[in-house]
């Protein structure tokens, strides 16, 4: 877990820090909604305190998994989905908490379940200066209630989880989408249960994040698979191995996370951007890093910025796909 850092105004963070060189995408690509910036600027995050329940996972993936994660965090597969064969193959699994901790596609190419099995979600509540997250082996924030299984079938699982203060409920529907280019679709519905501090809605980040490790990232192959290139756009972020390595046996594959469609309801302005990080350790949900990187052990994610009114639910969709 990173040391506590001073979190600056969200408006400055957007413009000058994490999205340097690019702009946040808006759902309809119209001119930015200045009221969103203003509302968040009026209630910026305060100084963030490090959570004692979070993991202290290091950047070296080949190291043993950390024992410092919260007892609520898990990387054990609870729901497994499989389709296709060869180049159309996809197998992924989901924990009871809603983490995707295996992503094997195409057949024989594992993209997440190597080193530390780290993937998940996070919320930063700006008004309360509070982070809620669960990244499997890279730890959770320790302020979630137990997950609730809503439904499960051969192609999808739906899991709801409420923060321990009762303010936020995140409902995830994670689905297998088979085909020529199969993918795992992740629908995240975030509900503001209230009460509202700001009176006009709560400003939040909603993050999806994965420690992507394509191909043979293990000691038997020289750990070269942990070293990738990373980049992002407004719509996606990705990590990949750029060249075949005969010595290690690593093929040049990659994993991409990308936004899918518009958020709902359409009346809510949602700003969004792909994330790449030069670290594979636990991301800081309230102060996310973003930079293009080469030949490092990094991670990918997708970030949404929005205001959620009291008792309102807003839904965003993304997907993981091999390339």
């Amino acid at each position: 877990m990173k040391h506590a850092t001073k979190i600056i105004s969200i408006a400055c963070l957007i413009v000058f820090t994490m999205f340097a060189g690019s702009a946040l995408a808006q759902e309809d690509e119209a001119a930015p909604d200045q009221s969103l910036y203003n509302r968040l600027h009026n209630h910026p995050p305060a100084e963030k305190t490090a959570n004692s329940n979070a993991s202290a996972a290091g950047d070296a993936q080949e190291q043993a998994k950390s024992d410092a994660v919260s007892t609520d965090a898990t990387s054990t597969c609870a729901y497994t989905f499989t389709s296709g064969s060869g180049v159309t193959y996809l197998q992924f699994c989901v924990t009871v908490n809603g983490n995707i901790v295996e992503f094997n596609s195409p057949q024989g190419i594992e993209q997440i379940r190597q080193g530390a099995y780290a993937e998940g979600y996070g919320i930063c509540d700006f008004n309360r200066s509070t982070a809620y997250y669960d990244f499997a082996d890279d730890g959770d924030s320790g302020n979630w209630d137990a997950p609730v299984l809503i439904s499960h079938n051969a192609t999808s699982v739906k899991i709801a989880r409420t923060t321990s203060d009762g303010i936020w409920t995140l409902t995830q529907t994670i689905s297998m989408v088979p085909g020529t280019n199969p993918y795992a679709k992740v629908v995240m519905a975030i509900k503001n249960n209230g009460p509202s501090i700001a009176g006009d809605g709560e400003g939040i980040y909603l993050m999806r994040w994965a420690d992507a490790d394509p191909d043979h990232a293990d000691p038997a192959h020289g750990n070269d698979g942990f070293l990738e290139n990373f980049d992002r756009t407004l719509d996606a972020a990705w990590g990949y191995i750029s060249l075949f390595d005969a010595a290690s046996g690593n093929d040049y594959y990659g994993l991409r996370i990308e936004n899918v469609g518009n958020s709902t309801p359409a009346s809510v302005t949602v700003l969004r951007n792909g994330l790449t990080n030069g670290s594979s350790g636990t991301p800081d949900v309230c102060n996310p890093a973003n930079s293009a990187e080469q030949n490092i052990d990094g991670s990918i994610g997708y970030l949404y910025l929005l205001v959620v009114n009291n008792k309102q639910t807003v839904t965003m969709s993304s997907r993981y796909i091999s390339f």
Side-chain angles (χ1 to χ4, degrees):
M1 185 64 182
K2 299 176 182 176
H3 296 295
T5 58
K6 179 68 176 178
I7 299 178
I8 61 176
S9 161
I10 190 64
C12 295
L13 179 65
I14 295 168
V15 177
F16 298 113
T17 306
M18 62 167 298
F19 298 111
S22 67
L24 278 159
Q26 189 172 346
E27 297 296 349
D28 56 6
E29 301 300 337
D33 180 356
Q34 292 301 318
S35 65
L36 178 63
Y37 292 102
N38 294 338
R39 290 164 77 178
L40 295 179
H41 181 73
N42 291 335
H43 303 282
E47 186 171 346
K48 181 173 179 284
T49 302
N51 191 301
S52 60
N53 291 326
S55 76
D59 292 344
Q61 287 290 325
E62 61 271 22
Q63 293 178 354
K65 298 176 187 177
S66 170
D67 293 327
V69 299
S70 162
T71 55
D72 294 331
T74 180
S75 61
T76 300
C77 293
Y79 315 100
T80 300
F81 306 94
T82 307
S83 69
S85 63
V87 295
T88 67
Y89 179 84
L90 170 60
Q91 177 171 296
F92 70 90
C93 75
V94 181
T95 71
V96 293
N97 292 331
N99 313 92
I100 299 174
V101 291
E102 176 193 24
F103 192 97
N104 192 308
S105 182
Q107 194 160 8
I109 306 300
E110 179 56 50
Q111 309 249 29
I112 291 179
R113 201 169 182 82
Q114 304 188 87
Y117 312 155
E119 192 278 344
Y121 46 88
I123 304 166
C124 178
D125 183 325
F126 302 139
N127 292 330
R128 297 172 180 83
S129 302
T130 301
Y132 315 86
Y133 58 86
D134 187 322
F135 297 125
D137 276 353
D138 269 10
D140 74 5
S141 52
N143 51 4
W144 293 94
D145 287 343
V148 176
L149 177 62
I150 297 176
S151 63
H152 173 226
N153 56 40
T155 60
S156 69
V157 62
K158 188 173 185 178
I159 299 168
R161 205 166 185 197
T162 299
T163 57
S164 56
D165 55 20
I167 296 169
W168 300 100
T169 296
L170 177 64
T171 301
Q172 303 181 77
T173 304
I174 303 175
S175 305
M176 163 76 74
V177 182
T180 304
N181 296 298
Y183 59 89
K185 184 176 182 180
V186 182
V187 178
M188 296 190 295
I190 184 72
K191 181 180 180 182
N192 179 358
N193 300 313
S196 175
I197 290 178
D200 55 356
E202 310 290 354
I204 65 166
Y205 277 147
L206 179 61
M207 176 189 291
R208 193 83 203 182
W209 174 87
D211 177 12
D213 293 313
D215 210 8
H216 303 297
D218 58 65
H221 293 80
N223 293 310
D224 291 339
F226 290 117
L227 303 179
E228 308 158 66
N229 299 330
F230 293 87
D231 211 340
R232 82 286 185 196
T233 64
L234 295 174
D235 288 325
W238 56 91
Y240 66 98
I241 298 172
S242 60
L243 295 173
F244 173 71
D245 185 342
S248 68
N250 286 318
D251 286 317
Y252 40 108
Y253 287 103
L255 181 65
R256 183 170 75 246
I257 182 172
E258 57 191 22
N259 180 70
V260 176
N262 294 327
S263 61
T264 58
S267 58
V268 176
T269 297
V270 178
L271 306 179
R272 51 184 174 78
N273 209 100
L275 290 176
T276 54
N277 194 347
S279 168
S280 59
T282 309
D284 188 337
V285 180
C286 287
N287 191 18
N290 206 12
S291 59
E293 303 284 354
Q294 290 188 328
N295 200 38
I296 63 164
D297 183 7
S299 55
I300 61 175
Y302 204 84
L303 191 70
Y304 299 92
L305 168 66
L306 64 155
V307 171
V308 188
N309 292 330
N310 192 29
K311 309 304 181 184
Q312 184 179 45
T313 298
V314 183
T315 301
M316 280 72 64
S317 298
S318 60
R319 68 176 181 175
Y320 286 108
I321 188 168
S322 173
F323 70 98

